[in-house]
Amino acid sequence: MKIRILLASNAFVVSGIALATVAFLLFTSNAIVASNQKAELVNAAKEALFRRIVLRDEYLVHRGEYDRQRLLEALPVLASRLEGAKAAFTQGDDAGILKAMRGNESAVTSIYRKLFAIDARAATAGRARYLLDEYERRLLSQLLIRSYRLNDDATNLERNQISRSDLLRRRFEYILMAGSILTVVFVVVNGSMARGSISRGFERVLRGTREIGGGNLGYRLEADRVDEMGELAGEINSMASKLMLTVRNLEREAEQRKAAEEQVLGLIASLEERVKARTAELASANRELEAFAYSISHDLKAPLRSIEGFSRMVLEDYDERLDDEGKRLLGVILDSAARLDTLISDILSLSRIGRIEITLSRVDMRSMAEAAYGETALPGEKEKIIFTLADIPPAFCDPTLIRQVWMNLVSNAVKYTSRSERRVIRIDAEKTETETMYRVADSGAGFNMAYADKLFGIFQRLHAVEEFEGTGVGLAIVKRIMERHGGKVGAEGKVGEGASFWFSLPALHMAGEDSDGNG
């Protein structure tokens, strides 16, 4: 028999015994409750009977109106309680006793009423109440006899209920004890049998698993049993076979992996050498490119100054000989030379940012932003601009480079609001656990967000030079400076409604407020 079937049958039998025991206990308990309720009814009847006996004695002694009235009020109480107990006592001797009590009670009530009538006639006739005639003495004798019978019946009825309650309690205890003993005996006997069967199977499985776990993958357990232990032995044998096959495959894979690792290590070593060589070449190329840009920029400035100087000399010395078209062309040359000079200066600034050594220190960002606005906005413009500067937090950064960031962003805000009817510039900041974001927002020309990714590229402009002057290098400088600080840049805007440019510094740059460092 399988273990689970054995255990299930044991559980079923134990449950049946428990249910049967509980059913008998519930039945007995209900009988005890009913017996207790009957006993309470009998006690209530005896209490009413005892009170009426007391009132009867007082009445027979004094024969007064007060005593008669109290007795008259007590008469229906016993009858009412006996009537209420009628539904509880319907079978056996108890029903007969209760019936006799009700008969005696009815007779007693009738006797009392006859005595009350005699007292009433005696009072009317003026006869002394203590003089009793033969009829009245017979009534009193019948009253005492009926009262004694009522008391005896109540006592017998109470004794029957006490005996029945004791019998039911003993039965309850016997049933509980018998159910417990039967359950324990069955559990012990069947548990011993099941434990012996299971223990032997576990010992066999334990020996086999120890052999297999010790490395003897060729060991096989005996799987002759038809219960779960036999199934477990078969599964362990199957697992051992699969494990042996897996170990052999792993050994082959380990050999192949070792050969592959040796090959990869060789490739890595070769790749590292190539990367070092390429890195050195790239660094050299960058240095040469920066040096070339710097040299070209410087070389361009000399002829550019000559062009500008000679053009200005011609314009001044030959002003009377030149017509309006000649003067216009010379003006175009001067403006183009000035823009080219600015462009060359910006390119030089951009190339120097990659080589400059960063010095980190605590920077009052609010004062620096306010100074940038003071330098870029002309006095006449300040009267037309609504400028708002929030209480922005300080930063830990390079003051020279961050000043260039503020100058470029604030000057752009002043420039692109120049054609707006209402010129508004607001500078604020937002601080989080990881970074602090500084923002310059304006109500200027704005831009199309479809081209937002081009804003920070070199020579990228979204507005014509005739609309707003510039070289397209300023925002590229801002981006390069933020990259040197490990920060980020971004912008949002809408055509005709303004733009918002922001840059952020990591929390690392906010930690050293009282110390300086190099990076």
Side-chain angles (χ1 to χ4, degrees), residues 59 64-73 116 119:
Y59 167 71
E65 181 63 24
Y66 174 72
D67 297 324
R68 186 184 72 83
Q69 189 64 35
R70 292 178 63 196
L71 181 58
L72 185 62
E73 292 176 356
F116 293 157
D119 287 343

Side-chain angles (χ1 to χ4, degrees), residues 262-413:
E262 293 176 353
Q263 184 179 2
V264 169
L265 289 175
L267 293 174
I268 290 174
S270 174
L271 183 60
E272 288 178 351
E273 293 297 328
R274 294 171 61 186
V275 169
K276 290 179 181 179
R278 293 291 179 86
T279 302
E281 293 175 2
L282 183 60
S284 176
N286 285 335
R287 288 193 297 270
E288 292 176 359
L289 183 60
E290 291 177 357
F292 176 76
Y294 189 78
S295 174
I296 290 297
S297 299
H298 274 280
D299 291 344
L300 286 175
K301 277 194 173 280
L304 186 62
R305 282 193 294 268
S306 298
I307 293 173
E308 183 182 6
F310 288 132
S311 298
R312 196 172 300 281
M313 289 174 58
V314 170
L315 188 59
E316 292 175 355
D317 295 344
Y318 298 93
D319 181 62
E320 296 178 356
R321 300 182 184 181
L322 294 173
D323 57 8
D324 292 338
E325 180 63 18
K327 293 178 182 179
R328 187 187 69 81
L329 293 176
L330 286 174
V332 172
I333 293 173
L334 289 172
D335 290 341
S336 299
R339 285 198 300 272
L340 183 58
D341 183 67
T342 303
L343 178 60
I344 293 172
S345 298
D346 289 343
I347 293 175
L348 287 174
S349 299
L350 184 62
S351 65
R352 282 197 297 268
I353 290 173
R355 300 192 307 272
I356 193 171
E357 185 177 0
I358 294 180
T359 302
L360 301 178
S361 63
R362 186 180 185 276
V363 176
D364 186 349
M365 300 292 272
R366 190 177 192 280
S367 299
M368 187 168 286
E370 188 173 15
Y373 175 72
E375 292 182 30
T376 55
L378 299 176
E381 289 181 312
K382 293 179 180 179
E383 298 177 357
K384 302 176 182 179
I385 297 175
I386 301 174
F387 179 70
T388 304
L389 177 58
D391 188 15
I392 60 179
F396 195 63
C397 54
D398 186 288
T400 301
L401 294 180
I402 292 300
R403 180 181 180 276
Q404 184 66 46
V405 171
W406 282 115
M407 291 292 293
N408 289 1
L409 294 181
V410 174
S411 63
N412 277 354

Side-chain angles (χ1 to χ4, degrees), residues 6-172:
L6 178 62
L7 295 177
S9 61
N10 291 345
F12 178 77
V13 174
V14 171
S15 300
I17 295 174
L19 289 175
T21 303
V22 170
F24 282 118
L25 291 177
L26 287 175
F27 177 77
T28 307
S29 177
N30 292 334
I32 292 174
V33 171
S35 179
N36 291 335
Q37 291 175 350
K38 291 180 180 179
E40 291 176 0
L41 293 174
V42 173
N43 290 333
K46 287 194 67 175
E47 180 183 353
L49 178 60
F50 177 76
R51 174 173 172 77
R52 199 171 68 179
I53 290 173
V54 172
L55 294 176
R56 180 202 67 190
D57 293 342
E58 292 179 356
Y59 167 71
L60 293 178
V61 171
H62 301 101
R63 305 297 288 270
E65 181 63 24
Y66 174 72
D67 297 324
R68 186 184 72 83
Q69 189 64 35
R70 292 178 63 196
L71 181 58
L72 185 62
E73 292 176 356
L75 282 178
V77 175
L78 179 59
S80 175
R81 293 184 178 178
L82 291 176
E83 185 65 27
K86 180 180 179 182
F89 297 91
T90 58
Q91 296 177 355
D93 296 338
D94 293 344
I97 294 174
L98 183 63
K99 183 177 180 181
M101 288 181 68
R102 292 176 62 203
N104 289 325
E105 168 59 18
S106 179
V108 167
T109 302
S110 177
I111 293 171
Y112 276 124
R113 296 192 183 281
K114 292 177 181 179
L115 289 174
F116 293 157
I118 292 173
D119 287 343
R121 288 195 298 271
T124 302
R127 182 171 60 85
R129 294 188 178 183
Y130 58 85
L131 297 176
L132 303 177
D133 56 17
E134 184 64 24
Y135 177 67
E136 192 173 359
R137 283 193 293 271
R138 286 199 305 271
L139 288 177
L140 289 175
S141 298
Q142 293 178 10
L143 177 64
L144 292 176
I145 293 172
R146 295 283 186 176
S147 298
Y148 290 150
R149 289 177 180 175
L150 273 173
N151 188 57
D152 291 342
D153 289 341
T155 301
N156 292 332
L157 196 60
E158 181 182 24
R159 189 180 297 112
N160 289 344
Q161 302 312 310
I162 293 173
S163 299
R164 186 173 290 105
S165 295
D166 292 340
L167 177 62
L168 290 173
R169 289 191 183 93
R170 288 194 298 272
R171 183 185 299 173
F172 185 90

Side-chain angles (χ1 to χ4, degrees), residues 165-183:
S165 295
D166 292 340
L167 177 62
L168 290 173
R169 289 191 183 93
R170 288 194 298 272
R171 183 185 299 173
F172 185 90
E173 294 173 357
Y174 293 155
I175 292 173
L176 181 61
M177 185 181 300
S180 301
I181 293 174
L182 187 60
T183 301

